[in-house]
Amino acid sequence: MNSEKIINCERKQFSKFINFRLSHRFMSIGIAIVLLSIAGMFVRAFAMEGETEWLKQLLQKTMLVGMLIMSISKDKIEDEMTISLRAQSYAIAFVVGVIYALVMPYVEFGVSNIVHSGGEAFKDLGDFQVLLFMLMIQLMFYHNLKRYR
């Protein structure tokens, strides 16, 4: 096999991966998953007693999966403009997410030391908080960019 065939095969596989989108029907499925996860979080917080840390983790991961499904599902009308807007929203979410992950621990540390006036420990952000923030930013910017195009 010559190198040109290998390169074309790799390019084709990479293009398939980059252009992967779920059907438009998955948007409503993602919304339902997110809403059920949020409802489960409220039930866990106010109605359940005992050690339910495993349920909290499960609901957080389920919510992230629902938001990811929403993020990669197609619109009813998918064209070059919506693909470009989606790429822009991913780039914005990445940059804002990195800035958030770098700055927020110091803001939390400063505020907690001012409020508690004691030696509060420095806490790093968890993966759930950063991923949730980035997915929320991506979805928000994508829908705003779509609205004002």
Side-chain angles (χ1 to χ4, degrees), residues 42 47 58 68 75 81-82 109 113 122 127:
F42 278 113
L58 178 69
L68 181 64
D75 288 338
M81 180 64 121
T82 57
F109 179 69
N113 278 333
F122 183 79
D127 58 344

Side-chain angles (χ1 to χ4, degrees), residues 13-141:
Q13 291 292 81
F14 189 65
S15 178
K16 270 180 155 177
F17 180 71
I18 293 293
N19 295 325
F20 174 76
R21 297 280 177 263
L22 295 173
S23 171
H24 177 68
R25 288 178 278 152
F26 281 93
M27 178 62 86
S28 56
I29 292 171
I31 291 171
I33 290 171
V34 169
L35 292 177
L36 287 172
S37 297
I38 291 172
M41 287 178 185
F42 278 113
V43 168
R44 182 197 158 270
F46 297 115
M48 298 181 105
E49 295 177 11
E51 187 61 37
T52 58
E53 187 64 29
W54 64 272
L55 183 59
K56 176 184 173 187
Q57 295 293 321
L58 178 69
L59 290 171
Q60 286 178 345
K61 303 300 185 213
T62 306
M63 189 163 114
L64 288 177
V65 168
M67 290 181 77
L68 181 64
I69 290 171
M70 290 169 57
S71 177
I72 61 175
S73 63
K74 288 182 181 177
D75 288 338
K76 279 188 179 180
I77 302 170
E78 189 83 12
D79 58 0
E80 292 83 16
M81 180 64 121
T82 57
I83 292 170
S84 172
L85 294 176
R86 190 181 309 271
Q88 288 176 5
S89 69
Y90 280 123
I92 291 168
F94 178 76
V95 170
V96 172
V98 168
I99 292 169
Y100 175 77
L102 292 173
V103 171
M104 197 60 192
Y106 297 107
V107 171
E108 265 186 42
F109 179 69
V111 169
S112 67
N113 278 333
I114 290 172
V115 170
H116 295 264
S117 70
E120 285 289 318
F122 183 79
K123 292 183 283 187
D124 207 9
L125 295 178
D127 58 344
F128 172 74
Q129 191 173 354
V130 174
L131 290 173
L132 178 70
F133 182 76
M134 288 176 75
L135 283 168
M136 286 179 10
I137 292 293
Q138 189 275 325
L139 290 168
M140 180 187 69
F141 269 95

